[in-house]
Amino acid sequence: MDPSSLHPDLSFQFARSGGAGGQNVNKVATKAELRFSVRDSGLLTDEQRTQLLEKLANKLTNEGELVLTHQTERTQLANKEKVIRKFDRLIAKAFEIQKPRKASKPSKAAVAERLDQKKRRADIKSARRKVDE
């Protein structure tokens, strides 16, 4: 996949990576930043847009833009590919449909066992009390 041939809704910026580094770190802009406007995207249906705005709310800017960065690799291309993978995983996870939880009840045997244990514990504690004469 050639990252430069991606959809126009995705934009990339590059900057110098932060943190400790060697001779390369102050000269080369290898940190890749991917921007995707969820609100303005032509790729998404209204339903998908709503779903993404809801599920990714804590990752979006005030303008409804998703910003992802990657800076661990030594080249722009490697960081760009990694940030694209990160984007793909995030979008796929946001569109996953969770199975609804089925409410369950404890079995009759489990209820009986719990009540039996409570009774035994109560008997032990009552045995510690003073005996009235």
Side-chain angles (χ1 to χ4, degrees):
M1 157 177 66
D2 178 21
S4 60
S5 67
L6 291 170
H7 200 274
D9 285 356
L10 299 177
S11 66
F12 292 91
Q13 290 179 326
F14 297 96
R16 287 189 215 141
S17 295
Q23 299 161 353
N24 217 26
V25 75
N26 295 323
K27 295 185 276 188
V28 184
T30 57
K31 175 181 172 181
E33 181 179 271
L34 178 144
R35 291 180 170 273
F36 175 69
S37 179
V38 176
R39 287 195 184 135
D40 302 330
S41 175
L43 290 172
L44 304 170
T45 65
D46 288 338
E47 184 181 315
Q48 290 172 329
R49 185 174 291 107
T50 305
Q51 192 175 359
L52 280 181
L53 288 171
E54 199 175 286
K55 291 209 177 167
L56 301 177
N58 61 339
K59 295 184 185 304
L60 298 176
T61 64
N62 292 336
E63 294 79 36
E65 199 170 47
L66 177 65
V67 180
L68 299 173
T69 61
H70 196 84
Q71 64 182 4
T72 60
E73 305 304 317
R74 291 178 55 94
T75 64
Q76 265 188 15
L77 184 61
N79 280 327
K80 193 172 184 179
E81 288 172 351
K82 292 258 177 141
V83 80
I84 291 168
R85 276 194 230 127
K86 191 187 290 188
F87 174 75
D88 286 343
R89 282 193 303 268
L90 189 67
I91 297 296
K93 187 169 171 131
F95 285 136
E96 273 181 8
I97 298 169
Q98 278 190 329
K99 287 194 305 185
R101 184 186 175 281
K102 293 180 186 173
S104 59
K105 291 192 321 190
S107 66
K108 286 183 181 178
V111 172
E113 176 66 25
R114 184 180 65 84
L115 294 175
D116 189 44
Q117 285 178 352
K118 282 180 69 149
K119 177 72 177 138
R120 273 187 263 139
R121 191 77 189 144
D123 290 344
I124 290 169
K125 287 187 173 194
S126 65
R128 293 181 190 152
R129 293 189 195 132
K130 288 184 182 175
V131 179
D132 289 337
E133 288 184 35

